[in-house]
Amino acid sequence: LIVVAEKDVVYERFPIPLINRLEKHLLVMSTGLTEHQARLAKELEGWVKVFSEAKPEYSSGESLFKPGDCFVGYHSDTVAAVVMKISNLGNDWSNEQILSQSIYTLLQCASPDAIARLPATKLKHDAEKLWTEYFRNQKHGSLKDYLVHCLGNNKDTENDSSLVQFVCIKIVLPRKLSDRKGISGKGQLTDGKIDVLENYYGLANREAKL
């Protein structure tokens, strides 16, 4: 008898006697990477860490945000899975091309507020480029356009697979925080970008009600 299940499901739902009787093996994507892919995955993990760690300028405190706060559905195997998939799609791609496409793929899973926090990260010099890629080139403003963009561009859908996770949220983005400190200004959100976020969430909320 071979039982395949998520780790959390095993420990939360399986009866203890059954768990004790099973010979357990933990399968993770990282163990299936080649040595070359593992190096790329480590480099991509570094990018994810820098992307996620946002804190005010000159602050010595730790970031309050983790990768799971910035990428929908992120877990310890996400980076390895992305690198493996992108590497298989472009066998003759250079390391730079694989990393670039992997970043593009992760960006599709990012939350809008994570993009808005980029000026407060070590990626602040790339913030404008990533903002443009996310809000203008990628299709995050419409569920229909997003599905077409993610699922309709596969040239070989029989040999490729995609998992798209949707999280419906309702957020009112205030221009003032609860402590009455502004969220716009130098090194922070501009009024223009705040308007973009408000319009984005407003459109998302309206579509969710259709």
Side-chain angles (χ1 to χ4, degrees):
L1 175 65
I2 299 177
V3 179
V4 180
E6 293 283 349
K7 179 180 177 181
D8 293 340
V9 173
V10 171
Y11 288 107
E12 291 176 5
R13 299 185 182 180
F14 282 27
I16 298 299
L18 176 60
I19 295 177
N20 292 336
R21 293 191 63 181
L22 292 174
E23 181 180 349
K24 295 171 284 295
H25 297 275
L26 181 62
L27 301 177
V28 293
M29 292 293 295
S30 56
T31 59
L33 297 177
T34 65
E35 185 176 343
H36 175 249
Q37 290 173 337
R39 289 196 299 268
L40 293 176
K42 186 175 182 180
E43 191 170 342
L44 186 59
E45 283 179 350
W47 181 87
V48 168
K49 185 174 185 292
V50 172
F51 182 99
S52 306
E53 292 183 344
K55 56 185 178 181
E57 193 173 5
Y58 308 120
S59 172
S60 58
E62 294 185 1
S63 171
L64 299 177
F65 303 99
K66 305 296 181 184
D69 302 316
C70 303
F71 299 97
V72 177
Y74 187 91
H75 53 80
S76 58
D77 248 4
T78 297
V79 168
V82 170
V83 169
M84 180 178 290
K85 178 176 181 178
I86 300 303
S87 298
N88 291 335
L89 289 177
N91 293 323
D92 57 345
W93 286 0
S94 65
N95 291 349
E96 291 75 15
Q97 288 175 306
I98 294 175
L99 282 174
S100 177
Q101 189 61 34
S102 297
I103 288 173
Y104 173 85
T105 301
L106 284 175
L107 201 61
Q108 288 185 315
C109 306
S111 62
D113 54 298
I115 303 298
R117 288 193 297 268
L118 284 175
T121 71
K122 293 182 179 179
L123 290 176
K124 58 185 177 182
H125 299 298
D126 296 327
E128 195 67 33
K129 180 179 69 174
L130 293 173
W131 176 282
T132 301
E133 176 65 31
Y134 185 87
F135 283 106
R136 295 185 181 178
N137 298 338
Q138 295 185 357
K139 309 297 181 181
H140 296 278
S142 165
L143 176 58
K144 176 184 176 182
D145 291 343
Y146 183 80
L147 287 173
V148 171
H149 181 69
C150 289
L151 306 179
N153 290 336
N154 291 331
K155 296 180 180 179
D156 188 1
T157 54
E158 293 183 359
N159 297 324
D160 192 18
S161 60
S162 298
L163 174 64
V164 180
Q165 178 177 342
F166 296 98
V167 177
C168 295
I169 55 178
K170 185 174 183 180
I171 293 179
V172 176
L173 184 66
R175 292 178 183 271
K176 294 287 184 179
L177 300 179
S178 58
D179 59 3
R180 298 185 180 277
K181 293 182 179 180
I183 58 176
S184 63
K186 184 178 180 181
Q188 302 183 58
L189 291 177
T190 63
D191 287 341
K193 289 187 176 180
I194 293 174
D195 289 337
V196 170
L197 285 174
E198 288 179 335
N199 292 335
Y200 174 88
Y201 280 118
L203 178 61
N205 285 332
R206 287 194 296 274
E207 287 196 349
K209 295 177 182 179
L210 296 179

